Amino acid sequence: MGEGQEQALRQEIFHRITEFYTYREARKDSFVPGKTLIRYGGPIFDHEEVNAVVNSLIDGWLGVGKAAEQFEKEFSEYLGVRKTVLTNSGSSANLLALSAAANNGLGFRIEKGDEVITPAMTFPTTINPIIQNSLIPTLIDADIGTYSASTAQIEEAISNNTKAIMIPHTIGNPCDMDFIKDFAEENNLLLIEDNCDALGAEYRGKKTGTFGDLGTYSFYASHHMSMGEGGAVATDNEELEPVVRSFRDWGRIGAGKYMYTHIGYNLKPIDLQAAMGLVQLKRLEWFLQKRRENFKMLYEEFSKWDNKFILPMATKHSEPAWFGFPLTIRDGAGFTREQLSEHLWKNNIENRPMFAGNIADQPAYKKIQFRKVGSLKNSEKVMRDSFFIGLYPGIDEEMIKYTVKTFKDFLANA
Ligand SMILES: Cc1ncc(COP(=O)(O)O)c(C=O)c1O
């Protein structure tokens, strides 16, 4: 079969895929209050992503290839960083970021048993790389409303053994990066930002994930843009980038060589993920704008229930990229999170607790050696009384109105 014929067939395939999505879009079920599940997140894509993925598949090179290379270039440009390494998940990105920084001889001098400051209210795979690298998590509390790491406690947490800070921009709200960056520099600490929840968020006009030595990203299905699964490590440190890549690629240094300079993993994505990501990246600004609009609508509505809930609060100098709409039930509100959650589920409104709550209370962590700063009382409260609902671009005004009505009904009877 000639090249011309192959091209013609490819075009026909793309045409049919486009037709399929146009057909499906025209027949999409409209929203039925109480019947249609209002999800907290999900991927938004159409024939453009599917065509890009199929094109990559037909090319036949499934491993990391030209789409991954192009994605790394465009994503670095978007963030304004020198280098990006694409991975198969955000969890992998966290593991790679800390493993690479801790084991490379580039000057961070992180040794087994050293301490890493990180919030107790977290996601498992933010803290797991600390444990997996035989380091000790020093748990600090978070503020309720911003859900950001408490800066007062960061100061309190430092010891002679502290070597790094691993900080998530939880639920899309930036941490106080003025304080954290200065603190890390003054104390010669490695700074890793887990930006998996916060792609597109800014602090003083600079993108989060680009302040620290390394920043990590997730492209899981419910995140700001999606590859189904996927992640990235971003860094301005051009010495660190090949180490991250080496850890990702079995510990190998440089493509094509059978030379192994690190005890690595295989956390590579496949090119199809990158092909999808390249299209999603073009939609990202629109995704972020929709999230902001939905946040604004929800915030205005929920303001009237300020006596029942602690409303989400943007950190000073920041423009969050909210992952969800977080709420904390005030003490004495007269109902429990379980009662409210059940009511929401019954009415087909998806809701989630705030990730792992206080991680130290989760079963897998009972025997883990932590150093804890203070009582972690906010993390305890979040574990008990906080949750989030969705604001992703798949949610429209009608769904928000129905969500608000569902809360109103619940509160009237609570
Ligand atoms: C703060 C944080 N870090 C890391 C991850 C892990 O990302 P992934 O699901 O891509 O592994 C998540 C997941 O949502 C997260 O919320």
Side-chain angles (χ1 to χ4, degrees):
M1 188 161 52
E3 183 71 12
Q5 176 66 357
E6 275 210 7
Q7 273 310 328
L9 286 171
R10 263 194 212 229
Q11 290 311 319
E12 198 180 322
I13 291 166
F14 299 153
H15 180 70
R16 295 292 282 173
I17 289 171
T18 306
E19 247 180 27
F20 174 88
Y21 277 90
T22 310
Y23 177 87
R24 180 185 261 184
E25 179 64 23
R27 276 151 197 82
K28 204 168 73 178
D29 289 338
S30 48
F31 171 66
V32 182
K35 291 249 161 15
T36 314
L37 178 66
I38 302 180
R39 301 182 59 193
Y40 87 87
I44 310 264
F45 65 93
D46 63 18
H47 63 276
E48 290 190 42
E49 281 83 351
V50 178
N51 281 343
V53 170
V54 169
N55 195 32
S56 174
L57 184 58
I58 291 173
D59 280 349
W61 179 256
L62 298 181
V64 175
K66 64 182 186 200
E69 197 180 319
Q70 185 63 21
F71 183 83
E72 288 180 351
K73 185 168 164 286
E74 291 188 21
F75 196 58
S76 299
E77 277 164 15
Y78 170 76
L79 296 176
V81 294
R82 292 211 181 101
K83 296 286 176 187
T84 300
V85 179
L86 191 61
T87 67
N88 61 1
S89 75
S91 302
S92 300
N94 281 342
L95 179 60
L96 286 171
L98 187 60
S99 303
N103 299 290
N104 66 80
L106 290 178
F108 293 110
R109 291 176 292 103
I110 300 173
E111 314 258 328
K112 200 172 162 179
D114 281 343
E115 294 172 9
V116 181
I117 300 173
T118 200
M121 195 206 84
T122 192
F123 191 82
T125 50
T126 307
I127 198 165
N128 291 355
I130 302 174
I131 300 161
Q132 285 152 340
N133 276 286
S134 304
L135 304 168
I136 297 173
T138 305
L139 299 181
I140 56 170
D141 218 352
D143 297 325
I144 298 182
T146 65
Y147 305 98
S148 291
S150 152
T151 50
Q153 291 218 333
I154 292 177
E155 263 186 319
E156 225 181 293
I158 192 127
S159 82
N160 288 337
N161 298 328
T162 307
K163 294 290 170 57
I165 306 187
M166 180 98 181
I167 212 86
H169 298 293
T170 304
I171 199 109
N173 192 25
C175 294
D176 179 345
M177 293 317 291
D178 278 350
F179 174 87
I180 292 174
K181 186 147 176 71
D182 284 354
F183 186 83
E185 273 170 14
E186 278 161 23
N187 293 286
N188 199 17
L189 304 176
L190 167 77
L191 175 57
I192 299 176
E193 292 170 83
D194 176 342
N195 204 48
C196 289
D197 284 354
L199 175 58
E202 294 182 359
Y203 183 86
R204 290 195 190 272
K206 181 173 159 65
K207 294 219 159 50
T208 54
T210 68
F211 287 80
D213 297 288
L214 300 133
T216 64
Y217 299 84
S218 166
F219 308 121
Y220 177 60
S222 59
H223 286 236
H224 298 69
M225 57 166 268
S226 179
M227 302 179 182
E229 294 277 5
V233 180
T235 184
D236 272 331
N237 185 331
E238 288 181 288
E239 283 186 308
L240 212 41
E241 180 260 338
V243 183
V244 173
R245 203 175 290 282
S246 168
F247 268 91
R248 186 195 70 171
D249 301 357
W250 312 286
R252 178 182 71 179
I253 200 79
K257 292 185 197 143
Y258 285 88
M259 176 95 82
Y260 300 92
T261 48
H262 300 97
I263 305 298
Y265 301 95
N266 176 1
L267 303 173
K268 293 195 284 348
I270 55 172
D271 230 31
L272 308 190
Q273 287 163 284
M276 174 149 188
L278 280 164
V279 184
Q280 289 270 292
L281 196 52
K282 294 192 174 62
R283 302 188 196 269
L284 182 56
E285 275 314 313
W286 181 81
F287 288 155
L288 292 169
Q289 189 195 327
K290 288 303 287 181
R291 281 178 181 265
R292 287 188 182 121
E293 284 168 17
N294 283 346
F295 179 88
K296 193 158 173 277
M297 274 191 266
L298 284 164
Y299 191 89
E300 276 164 16
E301 293 286 357
F302 276 81
S303 294
K304 59 179 174 270
W305 296 314
D306 192 29
N307 60 334
K308 300 284 181 199
F309 299 109
I310 300 171
L311 298 183
M313 215 182 309
T315 311
K316 222 167 144 189
H317 311 304
S318 83
E319 176 74 73
W322 293 103
F323 180 79
F325 190 77
L327 291 164
T328 299
I329 300 166
R330 287 190 189 275
D331 293 343
F335 55 89
T336 65
R337 182 179 67 186
E338 284 59 42
Q339 289 165 336
L340 174 54
S341 173
E342 196 187 318
H343 178 79
L344 294 175
W345 278 113
K346 226 188 270 167
N347 289 284
N348 266 325
I349 298 169
E350 196 169 30
N351 59 100
R352 291 278 155 107
M354 285 289 280
F355 309 110
N358 177 0
I359 196 88
D361 289 345
Q362 293 283 352
Y365 299 81
K366 293 279 189 222
K367 290 190 180 146
I368 296 296
Q369 186 190 353
F370 294 114
R371 199 160 70 75
K372 294 183 188 169
V373 177
S375 66
L376 303 177
K377 67 174 182 355
N378 289 352
S379 306
E380 295 289 340
K381 171 138 181 89
V382 166
M383 193 159 192
R384 202 174 49 242
D385 292 331
S386 304
F387 64 99
F388 65 93
I389 54 172
L391 45 63
Y392 82 114
I395 291 179
D396 62 18
E397 194 172 347
E398 204 187 347
M399 296 177 185
I400 288 181
K401 287 206 168 116
Y402 171 70
T403 301
V404 171
K405 181 188 165 299
T406 307
F407 271 82
K408 193 173 165 194
D409 292 346
F410 176 82
L411 293 170
N413 296 309

